Amino acid sequence: MALQVRRIVSGHNAQGKSVFIMDGTVALPAGRRTSAGTSVVELWQTAETPADNTGDKDPTDHPFRLPPPLNGTVFRIVEYPPDKERFAALQAQEWSADAKSQGYQRDSGNTRHAGFHKTDTIDYAIVIEGELYALMDEGEKLMKTGDVLIQRGTNHAWSNRTDEPAYLAFVLVDAEPA
């Protein structure tokens, strides 16, 4: 991932005063590159609602899983390479197995784009650099830097038809199936 992300995290010291507990560039750890041809940097995760703000352990130190934990959230940045580079990974047979192990459903029968999938989440997707198309079963919208999509448990795909990567920030919230 070419984009460098500095993550600063606040917390509390032993006296209950607010302090910074983490400050550093979040690298792409080994094993965080998804088989769908994207690169993912996990920034934070919660495992319950209301969230637990105690402790200073990094909650992203675990194997990659697309949706958040039950009743939880996940905050990440995803790099989408151009489709012409990503399509080989999207069409690989092992992506179906990865989808199941990573907690989402792949729509391998969708002929519009090989990346169609669905999660039981509500997703807040913000384009932070570049542009790409958000695809639904019916229709598509070009999204550019600063645009936001509220994705509500729908079957969808992301299509980067440019020659440059696009970067999206996502907050995924656990949700009931649509």
Side-chain angles (χ1 to χ4, degrees):
M1 178 177 273
L3 183 70
Q4 294 296 307
V5 179
R6 179 181 177 200
R7 177 180 67 167
I8 303 169
V9 180
S10 68
H12 300 91
N13 66 15
Q15 294 75 38
K17 300 287 186 181
S18 62
V19 296
F20 295 105
I21 62 170
M22 295 178 197
D23 182 356
T25 301
V26 181
L28 184 64
R32 295 292 172 109
R33 184 173 200 75
T34 73
S35 61
T38 61
S39 297
V40 178
V41 171
E42 301 284 299
L43 297 170
W44 204 253
Q45 177 176 291
T46 63
E48 59 196 6
T49 301
D52 181 358
N53 279 331
T54 62
D56 58 5
K57 184 176 180 260
D58 185 347
T60 66
D61 188 18
H62 58 78
F64 180 78
R65 181 172 162 77
L66 186 61
L70 184 65
N71 297 317
T73 66
V74 66
F75 178 35
R76 65 174 53 116
I77 294 178
V78 179
E79 176 190 65
Y80 288 91
D83 280 355
K84 63 185 176 185
E85 297 173 17
R86 186 171 169 233
F87 263 42
L90 286 170
Q91 293 169 340
Q93 289 289 358
E94 63 267 13
W95 193 46
S96 292
D98 287 348
K100 185 175 182 181
S101 70
Q102 293 174 5
Y104 64 101
Q105 302 97 36
R106 180 178 181 209
D107 182 1
S108 57
N110 197 309
T111 58
R112 293 191 57 224
H113 193 279
F116 265 91
H117 65 284
K118 183 177 182 178
T119 57
D120 295 331
T121 59
I122 184 165
D123 306 345
Y124 307 123
I126 306 111
V127 180
I128 57 176
E129 186 177 315
E131 65 179 52
L132 76 167
Y133 285 84
L135 284 68
M136 298 293 131
D137 288 329
E138 296 181 359
E140 63 185 40
K141 298 286 182 183
L142 176 60
M143 295 179 63
K144 297 182 178 185
T145 301
D147 290 346
V148 175
L149 171 67
I150 312 303
Q151 195 284 118
R152 301 176 54 227
T154 55
N155 194 37
H156 66 285
W158 301 99
S159 177
N160 182 349
R161 300 172 188 167
T162 73
D163 292 328
E164 300 296 324
Y167 298 91
L168 275 72
F170 286 92
V171 176
L172 282 70
V173 181
D174 183 43
E176 295 293 328

